[in-house]
Amino acid sequence: MIKFPKAVSDDVIEAKKELLDTHIKTNKYFYMNTQLRKNIQPQTPGQSTTDILFLTNIDNSAQIYDTLSVVSPKLADQYLDKTKVYLNLDTIA
């Protein structure tokens, strides 16, 4: 779910959804979908009651990052921060 600050208007959120939809269609990411949701209970007092539900049935970090970057590069970075896995090599073979 892509959450926005309360100060962001529904028109701006709808425009961001349209950017996402255009990007998804242009890149033929048919396994991605967005839904605009209104009157959603905010998680924090400063959040808008409108958000974008971003759905995909694949786990392709590059394509998801690319798509979320359309909304905001910061948002895409946040996605990577929440999904990254650290692999540490303890010895060299």
Side-chain angles (χ1 to χ4, degrees):
M1 286 175 268
I2 303 172
K3 299 293 198 176
F4 295 86
K6 189 181 259 186
V8 176
S9 72
D10 284 0
D11 290 339
V12 170
I13 298 171
E14 288 178 29
K16 296 290 186 181
K17 182 198 178 298
E18 289 302 317
L19 285 173
L20 284 169
D21 289 342
T22 299
H23 179 82
I24 289 167
K25 185 176 180 181
T26 300
N27 290 286
K28 298 181 178 152
Y29 293 161
F30 300 114
Y31 37 82
M32 292 182 184
N33 189 23
T34 65
Q35 292 179 2
L36 184 70
R37 303 182 328 147
K38 294 188 176 193
N39 301 315
I40 301 299
Q41 178 79 27
Q43 292 176 310
T44 64
Q47 283 181 339
S48 172
T49 57
T50 301
D51 66 19
I52 300 171
L53 180 61
F54 174 72
L55 302 166
T56 182
N57 62 357
I58 63 144
D59 188 21
N60 185 319
S61 297
Q63 290 178 357
I64 294 170
Y65 182 89
D66 180 50
T67 303
L68 292 175
S69 292
V70 170
V71 175
S72 161
K74 235 176 144 176
L75 180 70
D77 288 343
Q78 189 182 124
Y79 161 76
L80 278 185
D81 285 343
K82 292 190 181 279
T83 61
K84 65 185 165 190
V85 174
Y86 290 99
L87 303 172
N88 297 308
L89 183 61
D90 293 334
T91 61
I92 296 177

